[in-house]
Amino acid sequence: PDAEGVYFIDRDGTHFRHVLNFLRDSGSFTLGTGPAMPGPARAELVIELQFYGLLDRMMPHYAQEQIGVSLLRRACISGTKQALQAAVAQA
């Protein structure tokens, strides 16, 4: 804080409304997905949530999603039915 007790956070405010809404009422907070949250915007939000240390709380399944995507991508590259079945089973 500065001399007056004011904090300055030098971050882009585009996604900060999600952070504020979560902090105001985390019990009823839901993060929209789909057309309301396209891929690039979601990626930007992930960066902001990591900065504030809130990624695991606001997007609790994000890590699992990333693992699933990696498994599916690897299965598609290898092109084997067994790899694809294993990826789907783990996702």
Side-chain angles (χ1 to χ4, degrees):
D2 67 9
E4 297 176 7
V6 175
Y7 287 87
F8 176 74
I9 301 172
D10 189 14
R11 302 296 290 184
D12 187 345
T14 303
H15 303 291
F16 193 66
R17 71 182 196 288
H18 298 297
V19 173
L20 282 179
N21 288 335
F22 175 79
L23 294 174
R24 288 178 181 138
D25 189 9
S26 62
S28 66
F29 176 81
T30 58
L31 184 61
T33 57
M37 181 67 68
R42 189 170 190 260
E44 292 172 358
L45 179 60
V46 166
I47 292 168
E48 292 304 302
L49 297 182
Q50 287 173 328
F51 175 81
Y52 291 108
L54 294 172
L55 180 60
D56 291 340
R57 293 185 65 201
M58 290 180 68
M59 297 175 76
H61 304 293
Y62 180 76
Q64 291 85 353
E65 290 173 14
Q66 296 303 72
I67 292 168
V69 167
S70 293
L71 290 170
L72 288 170
R73 186 173 291 131
R74 187 173 356 152
C76 289
I77 290 170
S78 72
T80 65
K81 183 178 178 180
Q82 182 181 9
L84 188 55
Q85 288 173 334
V88 170
Q90 292 180 17

